[in-house]
Amino acid sequence: MSKLPSLKNLTYLLALHQHQNFNRAAQACFVSQSTLSSGIQNLEEQLGCQLIERDHKSFLFTGMGEEVVERAREILTHTEELVNFAQSQGNIMEGPLRIGCIPTIGPFILGPLSKALKQNYPKLSLYIREDTTHQLMNLLRDGDLDVLILALPVDLQGNQQWVVGKDPFKMALVPELAKLAGEPVDYNKLPNKSIFLLEKEHCMTGHAVTACRLGNKDKINPFTASSLHSLIQMAEALQGATFVPQMAIDAGILNGSDLIITEPGDGEAYREIGLVFRPTTSRRQTFRKLAEVLAEFLPISTLN
Amino acid sequence: MSKLPSLKNLTYLLALHQHQNFNRAAQACFVSQSTLSSGIQNLEEQLGCQLIERDHKSFLFTGMGEEVVERAREILTHTEELVNFAQSQGNIMEGPLRIGCIPTIGPFILGPLSKALKQNYPKLSLYIREDTTHQLMNLLRDGDLDVLILALPVDLQGNQQWVVGKDPFKMALVPELAKLAGEPVDYNKLPNKSIFLLEKEHCMTGHAVTACRLGNKDKINPFTASSLHSLIQMAEALQGATFVPQMAIDAGILNGSDLIITEPGDGEAYREIGLVFRPTTSRRQTFRKLAEVLAEFLPISTLN
DNA sequence: TACTATAATCGAATAATCTGATTAGCTTTT
DNA sequence: AAAAGCTAATCAGATTATTCGATTATAGTA
């Protein structure tokens, strides 16, 4: 049995991979550049293969280096989970829980969700990050987040998902358009460029268009909003229409607005809400409890 | 972020769990008893919880200790796999491969299998262990084996399986009984206690009885054999019948015997052969290649 | 040319790990 | 009851590994 590499050296390798720079990686690990440099060399020696190609000035991870990084990441995540588990005495609802959430969900459920979690599990220390699906997936992969609350479907990239509930889409329009379009809304009766959407970075844009079966792209206004709140403002100010998720309406996003809420298009229009996590996690029990609490704050729960 | 435990201390914990004795565990790790003792204490301190209950003379693993052992085992296995992968330069068919196989399969395919593997992948170093399904599952869990070749179905205990092929059961009987029973064999025409089986430790006993639909237990002789070879001897010497897998017949187990080979009972009588491995392994690609080679030596391949 | 930034290298300081001897508690043997 | 044999824990000292700061070499930039 050959000698195992030290976890410390593996973290050095991960930091180097993340920062692509010895100095910054060393800083991130709170060690000197020389320590990190020799740590990497040590690792290469132990593993008997080159992990990075040196180029006198810069460097590049080899294919093997990338593979080792990926495996090392999993090992370190597992070890951290082991430590957390032990330090919280096996209580799965203690210790740090790092949740990622998209901006078209976060503002409407994270408040009550974290309040309920704090109340039921006071020893749980929540860290919450709000970002786009794409960014959150990166943070999940890198082990910077434990679990994501996302709107589905999503490109899982090897991760695992649990569907927790549904969030219906409504259409919000100015009174004039509401009269014109009827209920459920007949998109053909709306003027061209009268429907406002979020920037394409938000997955809600695609989900809404698909779920509400908005086929005619001419109805879409080319100006996009960067948040649901500004989307509402935009639709109202420019005498248009837009899609709003039920949970946002429940949270009172339309309070003080003159927009009319109606059913969009034909058929069931909703997005699914779910949890996404690494398939190699050892915190499924924790996520299950999280899913149960989360389900309470969704318009429609489909848990179990 | 709290400090991570050292892999060394985790191996100490695993050794202690396996040997249930500080001295023997220390020996197995090639360190002194004091080193192992302080290593464990160190670990408990870092994790902030008790892993073993000391009882003035002996000790017992706590519930948390058992859980930590299980997680530590996974971490260490992953790390070993990382080292092997790196040291064999990413070539998945290099380095050590530890295979477990049951005695009613091993003697008939391990020869040609390992010959083919050696030929196609000369840098692969095979270690092969032959034991009962139960024992092999323990060795797999403990990380002492990488993959098992078993007859299915089997209690997976959380492991993953791939079905690779089928191995039909035949009935071998002395000529007198063959005339009596016809083909396919009508068990009712056989005398009581005329069918011989392996010891119940062998999973083939159950598989054969089920697959060949032998309902009437009165036909079974209470004397059992401890190997297929002695089973054949027994059936011949005591003028009886028995079930023999096709792969054993192909390997010539009945050469020099007067037993007649016939179809057993009604319908398709076979056992499935498959690979079993830890779901957390990172050597699926290696096992896939192994499955492909294995399939060639099975009477019927069902791969893909 | 001087300046900045990069990664590697080296010796000395520091931290960790390991050992062997010893202790203390308990069981078995004499 | 005493002695011998295990057990695991403890401690001082030796050994080994890790880390740092300073320095070097190289390349790009002002």
Side-chain angles (χ1 to χ4, degrees), chain B residues 21-22 33-34 37 41 54:
Chain B
N21 173 299
F22 275 73
Q33 172 262 319
S34 64
S37 176
Q41 287 176 66
R54 277 90 169 165

Side-chain angles (χ1 to χ4, degrees), chain B residues 211-229:
Chain B
C212 303
R213 297 181 178 77
L214 173 58
N216 189 346
K217 299 286 186 271
D218 295 336
K219 305 299 179 189
I220 300 172
N221 192 294
F223 284 100
T224 55
S226 61
S227 78
L228 264 179
H229 287 87

Side-chain angles (χ1 to χ4, degrees), chain B residues 49-64:
Chain B
C49 65
Q50 213 179 349
L51 300 176
I52 55 181
E53 277 181 68
R54 277 90 169 165
D55 173 71
H56 278 304
K57 167 139 180 65
S58 191
F59 62 88
L60 244 174
F61 274 77
T62 63
M64 171 61 70

Side-chain angles (χ1 to χ4, degrees), chain B residues 195-197 220-225 234 238:
Chain B
I195 298 182
F196 292 88
L197 297 175
I220 300 172
N221 192 294
F223 284 100
T224 55
M234 221 161 152
L238 301 178

Side-chain angles (χ1 to χ4, degrees), chain A residues 206-225:
Chain A
H207 285 155
V209 169
T210 307
C212 302
R213 299 180 177 76
L214 174 58
N216 189 344
K217 299 287 186 269
D218 295 335
K219 304 299 178 186
I220 299 171
N221 192 294
F223 284 100
T224 55

Side-chain angles (χ1 to χ4, degrees), chain A residues 21 33-34 37 41 54 59:
Chain A
N21 174 297
Q33 173 261 319
S34 67
S37 176
Q41 287 176 64
R54 276 92 168 165
F59 63 89

Side-chain angles (χ1 to χ4, degrees), chain B residues 170-174 232 235 240-244 254 259-262:
Chain B
K170 301 291 174 185
M171 175 142 260
L173 357 66
V174 288
I232 304 290
T242 189
F243 300 107
V244 187
L254 291 177
L259 295 181
I260 310 289
I261 305 169
T262 65

